[in-house]
Amino acid sequence: EQITPSSLTMVLDLLAREMEIDRKGPEDPERSQTLELESYHKDGSTRWLEVSVGAIRDEQAVIIGYHGVSRDITKRRKAEESLKNTEANFRRTFDESPLGVRIVSAEGDTIFANQAILNIYGYDSVEEFKATSAHIRYMPESYAAFQKRREQRRRGEDGPSEYEISIIRKDREIRYLHVLRKKILWDGKWQYQAIYE
């Protein structure tokens, strides 16, 4: 009664697995398991606990009970949930943007691309876009400019922050785009954000 139904199911499943392990033969009698459980607080709210559980055994190593050590991880779980929501909002904001957005490395490799980029180029997935070589996606003059920008980045130069490109869509249609680019910190490394319109 102290834990929520879903956590109770988790505990019963763990108990059944542990008992099955013991029935099958010799196993580390000192083993323990750690799980996260949602419990009811006396004020009516729920709290998350990280519980480390081990068996209590008699002299013949038969399980006669269990002991556990719990710590309140409610704040950590809330922080994780908040981060997850922030990431979901970030993804939604980028994917629903009318402008194409890419994060690219100094080599020009795509790290992230939103849905608008796929729509612009006519590809079905980010994986397909990444797998298509730049020289196929660019018109020759734009590919030459792309290589020049890449060489500048390799030398540690930022290169132009605004330029025009001509691309070849998957369906072979040619489009002309205006690109804004800036250096940004992404996953702890300096990369480039390019916005296409």
Side-chain angles (χ1 to χ4, degrees), residues 37-50:
L37 303 176
E38 190 176 23
S39 68
Y40 295 113
H41 192 268
K42 67 179 182 180
D43 66 7
S45 65
T46 59
R47 305 282 172 91
W48 281 96
L49 303 176
E50 182 181 78

Side-chain angles (χ1 to χ4, degrees), residues 104-142:
V104 298
S105 69
E107 294 297 312
D109 297 323
T110 299
I111 298 168
F112 169 88
N114 72 349
Q115 184 60 47
I117 283 289
L118 300 181
N119 296 341
I120 289 169
Y121 280 86
Y123 289 99
D124 298 319
S125 68
V126 174
E127 290 72 27
E128 182 184 19
F129 179 82
K130 287 181 177 182
T132 306
S133 174
H135 82 271
I136 293 174
R137 298 194 315 257
Y138 282 117
M139 290 289 286
E141 67 278 6
S142 287

Side-chain angles (χ1 to χ4, degrees), residues 146-173:
F146 161 78
Q147 289 182 305
K148 183 178 178 180
R149 291 192 301 272
R150 184 168 58 182
E151 286 304 318
Q152 288 176 311
R153 291 192 295 266
R154 283 175 177 167
R155 295 194 301 267
E157 302 169 12
D158 283 343
S161 60
E162 188 172 351
Y163 48 90
E164 307 286 332
I165 61 172
S166 52
I167 65 160
I168 305 170
R169 283 171 44 89
K170 182 181 176 181
D171 62 10
R172 310 309 296 166
E173 177 189 344

